[in-house]
Amino acid sequence: MNVDPRAAALRQAERAGIGYVYVALVLAFVTAVPALFAREVFGDDWTVYYIYWTQGAAGVARVLWESAHAGFAIPMTLFVTLLNDTPDVSARLAGLACHLVNGVLLHSVLSRSSYTRRIAGLVTALFLLSPFYAIRLTLNAVYDFFLLFYLLSYAFTYSKVRALRWAAPFALFFSLSLEILIALEPLRIMLTWSSREPWRRRLARLAPFWLVTAAVIMLRLTILGKSGHYAGQYSFVHDLTVIGNALHEHLAAFPKGLSYAASQGIALLGDFVWTLLTLAAMAGFALLSSRAFWTPWVLEGHGSIRRVLALLLSGTAIAILGAMPFALTGTYGDVTRGESRLLFASQLGILILAATVIQIMPTSRLRAAIAGGLIAVFTVAMAQDSKWLLYDGLINADLQRQVRAALLADPEPKVVKLQIENSTIISFRSRCLGASDMNVAQMMLRDENRERSYVYTDYCGDFQNRDLVPSGNCTVSYLEFFRCPPRREIWRYRAAPGIPLPNDIRFVELMKAVLEDAPSATQGRGELMQLKDDLPTPLARGEYRPPCRRPGVRGSAWLLALPTPACEDSASGAR
């Protein structure tokens, strides 16, 4: 049987770098699985849960409409509804599933074009393991959720089923609920323009998507603009220096992120083991460069210069378009903090640039070695992120469990300024604990026969914001305000020595501590004390089991690792 050499070469080219995809899928799954068990919720996530528990799905839709993220109501409500008692777990499961599927779709999309086929495997691997968007295992899984529909708009375009081809612009419209995905449109232009179709046919393919993009921009600037509590948030700035600095910081996230990923890996494994593992990965990938990790040289063949220029241009365009909307408001993505989510779109452009530069290297062994080193650095950083997320959840469950017990012991309402020692070390990506983090669970579990008390950390802006506590306005989730009680106290929490610091606790020990309930509803492993004249004073502790039928009780009790029974089945509860 004769085999067409051109067809065989095309099949080989389409599978180029497929080993990178398989390895990255496995590594992304393995490194993320531990974080699925973290008892952790981040600030805005707490607000969504609180609104859902107190106002239902209609309340979530209203809040997200006012925040100019109306489309977010669909996945966020879905996450909360699926596992009402542990909505953070359903969000993580959905986020990880969408992320892995997105990797498969991205590779499929990039493999269709001769312009992107040679870098498809490497771009996909770097995307799957990228440490530049580190909070996908939170309610911000909506980013991967919408990216799924964005990539489906590409897949539907080339479908043999007419109904799916017609559905492609609608998939794009829904995906642009996360408007920053518009920054990825240069990729669509490059993929469409690289086809051999007549130019009029290419424009006809692009026109529906351009109309959808224009419609989304117009809606965002008019009826879908921020309103209510969010009116005026992230307004445009007019200082070119501020805009330039924000743009520079956003685009500099890649080299900064590489350094950060390396430091995270060293924190997890130690300098020697991390270096040895990275070098071993480089050597292993180089040895397999002619088989599993074979990729064609991007400068090889007719039209190679044109392909490289198109890749570099589209990657640069995506990076700048992804950064510019934030720069115009004076904000930027920071890989070392929760704001890494702002890098979500622009970093795909950076990854296209990185893969193109690697594929410019003239020998397959050198290309594979560099790719192996990057994959090793990214993978270990993701593993450290999972460990850190587990640790952050353990600390916060312990902290809030003790805070709850101390508030129950003293019925007089108060405002507590909470000091947390080593907060930047123990809190995931140096995040702060805002009003929602500290007060939502307390509101869900409090004794409703007593007046409210409020707890705020001393480093998150609640005490510095003149519109909040200094003006006598206390909030649970930033969306409602109450008069602050006149009584003020200062408490201090320290994790050590009851809980070892992140780099001193072993992964297995950490996982075991996270999965088990606390032995007591009033005690903890860390130390919570009241400060009087800067001197630590023990706090009394009380216990109360709220009614199980109250919305949000079971979820909050699980997050705080309260021992069973954490709630009381009777209507009134029990003391």
Side-chain angles (χ1 to χ4, degrees):
M1 179 178 179
N2 295 327
V3 178
D4 185 354
R6 292 185 179 180
L10 180 60
R11 285 194 296 271
Q12 184 184 24
E14 288 176 345
R15 293 184 60 82
I18 193 66
Y20 290 122
V21 180
Y22 292 149
V23 168
L25 284 169
V26 172
L27 292 176
F29 177 78
V30 170
T31 55
V33 162
L36 297 177
F37 299 94
R39 299 176 188 264
E40 187 53 278
V41 177
F42 291 118
D44 290 343
D45 302 8
W46 269 124
T47 296
V48 171
Y49 296 164
Y50 180 68
I51 295 299
Y52 181 82
W53 285 328
T54 57
Q55 301 179 27
V60 173
R62 174 185 57 79
V63 168
L64 292 173
W65 176 281
E66 292 178 352
S67 66
H69 287 306
F72 281 37
I74 295 175
M76 286 186 170
T77 303
L78 180 65
F79 297 159
V80 178
T81 305
L82 285 177
L83 294 175
N84 184 252
D85 290 342
T86 52
D88 54 315
V89 176
S90 62
R92 292 190 183 97
L93 288 170
L96 179 57
C98 288
H99 183 60
L100 297 177
V101 173
N102 285 339
V104 175
L105 284 174
L106 180 62
H107 183 261
S108 174
V109 168
L110 296 179
S111 296
R112 291 181 178 276
S113 170
S114 60
Y115 278 55
T116 55
R117 188 175 297 130
R118 300 181 180 221
I119 66 168
L122 184 52
V123 169
T124 301
L126 296 179
F127 163 78
L128 285 168
L129 298 170
S130 172
F132 304 105
Y133 171 52
I135 56 173
R136 64 170 42 92
L137 294 178
T138 70
L139 199 58
N140 282 284
V142 294
Y143 282 49
D144 275 303
F145 177 86
F146 288 120
L147 180 62
L148 172 63
F149 285 88
Y150 182 84
L151 293 175
L152 284 175
S153 74
Y154 287 87
F156 291 166
T157 300
Y158 302 101
S159 174
K160 295 180 180 180
V161 180
R162 178 180 296 180
L164 291 180
R165 293 197 300 272
W166 278 93
F170 295 98
L172 175 65
F173 182 78
F174 180 63
S175 74
L176 294 185
S177 297
L178 180 61
E179 298 93 341
I180 197 60
L181 292 179
I182 292 174
L184 304 185
E185 283 301 283
L187 179 61
R188 191 187 305 274
I189 295 173
M190 181 178 63
L191 293 176
T192 303
W193 218 252
S194 66
S195 68
R196 296 181 179 180
E197 296 176 325
W199 67 270
R200 287 188 177 86
R201 183 65 180 274
R202 299 177 198 175
L203 286 178
R205 283 189 180 277
L206 289 171
F209 301 103
W210 288 352
L211 290 174
V212 167
T213 301
V216 169
I217 293 174
M218 290 300 298
L219 288 172
R220 180 66 175 79
L221 294 176
T222 53
I223 63 174
L224 290 181
K226 292 181 180 294
S227 59
H229 173 80
Y230 300 93
Q233 186 183 50
Y234 300 127
S235 301
F236 292 134
V237 298
H238 304 287
D239 190 330
L240 293 180
T241 301
V242 173
I243 294 174
N245 290 338
L247 182 62
H248 175 268
E249 289 292 334
H250 198 106
L251 296 178
F254 185 74
K256 185 177 180 180
L258 283 178
S259 175
Y260 189 72
S263 67
Q264 291 297 95
I266 292 171
L268 179 65
L269 300 176
D271 200 344
F272 176 76
V273 175
W274 178 85
T275 302
L276 188 65
L277 180 63
T278 304
L279 292 176
M282 295 178 70
F285 276 62
L287 289 173
L288 296 173
S289 60
S290 62
R291 296 182 181 179
F293 304 118
W294 176 80
T295 53
W297 189 29
V298 78
L299 288 175
E300 184 178 47
H302 178 70
S304 61
I305 298 298
R306 184 170 64 252
R307 287 196 301 268
V308 170
L309 290 177
L311 288 170
L312 294 176
L313 183 61
S314 63
T316 302
I318 292 172
I320 294 176
L321 288 174
M324 188 57 71
F326 301 111
L328 291 174
T329 63
T331 58
Y332 56 88
D334 187 343
V335 72
T336 67
R337 301 169 58 194
E339 284 77 3
S340 65
R341 69 186 186 278
L342 305 185
L343 301 168
F344 187 73
S346 67
Q347 285 306 304
L348 187 57
I350 297 295
L351 295 180
I352 290 175
L353 291 174
T356 303
V357 170
I358 292 174
Q359 289 303 107
I360 289 175
M361 303 298 173
T363 64
S364 60
R365 291 191 187 279
L366 179 59
R367 294 195 296 270
I370 296 174
L374 270 180
I375 288 173
V377 171
F378 284 7
T379 300
V380 179
M382 285 189 68
Q384 171 67 353
D385 273 335
S386 282
K387 180 183 177 183
W388 201 354
L389 197 64
L390 286 169
Y391 185 85
D392 186 293
L394 177 65
I395 289 290
N396 279 287
D398 182 79
L399 163 63
Q400 294 207 45
R401 187 169 57 249
Q402 293 195 58
V403 166
R404 171 179 176 269
L407 292 176
L408 288 169
D410 185 352
E412 184 178 350
K414 63 185 75 63
V415 178
V416 176
K417 177 186 286 189
L418 182 64
Q419 299 177 0
I420 302 178
E421 291 192 1
N422 297 318
S423 60
T424 57
I425 296 175
I426 65 176
S427 295
F428 183 75
R429 297 247 167 178
S430 304
R431 74 184 184 94
C432 73
L433 298 177
S436 303
D437 300 85
M438 295 309 306
N439 289 320
V440 168
Q442 307 300 338
M443 292 301 106
M444 295 292 101
L445 298 172
R446 77 186 182 97
D447 182 348
E448 291 188 325
N449 295 321
R450 303 182 182 189
E451 296 185 57
R452 299 171 185 254
S453 290
Y454 303 88
V455 183
Y456 306 101
T457 54
D458 64 341
Y459 59 94
C460 281
D462 297 310
F463 287 100
Q464 288 74 31
N465 188 337
R466 295 180 179 178
D467 294 330
L468 292 179
V469 182
S471 297
N473 298 314
C474 283
T475 180
V476 176
S477 65
Y478 290 125
L479 296 176
E480 71 290 280
F481 296 93
F482 310 92
R483 293 304 302 170
C484 292
R487 180 177 168 185
R488 304 292 173 94
E489 293 184 1
I490 299 176
W491 296 358
R492 183 196 67 193
Y493 178 84
R494 56 170 60 166
I499 304 176
L501 292 177
N503 295 339
D504 299 328
I505 188 170
R506 292 178 298 176
F507 211 112
V508 174
E509 178 188 355
L510 175 60
M511 178 66 80
K512 181 179 178 181
V514 168
L515 292 179
E516 66 184 10
D517 290 340
S520 167
T522 60
Q523 300 301 313
R525 298 174 64 180
E527 179 189 74
L528 180 69
M529 305 285 282
Q530 182 179 358
L531 296 182
K532 294 182 178 180
D533 299 324
D534 294 328
L535 296 176
T537 304
L539 283 161
R541 308 300 172 92
E543 184 176 358
Y544 162 74
R545 293 201 300 274
C548 297
R549 59 180 174 77
R550 187 190 304 168
V553 164
R554 295 184 188 275
S556 298
W558 184 86
L559 285 164
L560 271 58
L562 289 171
T564 304
C567 57
E568 174 61 51
D569 288 325
S570 67
S572 60
R575 295 189 188 282

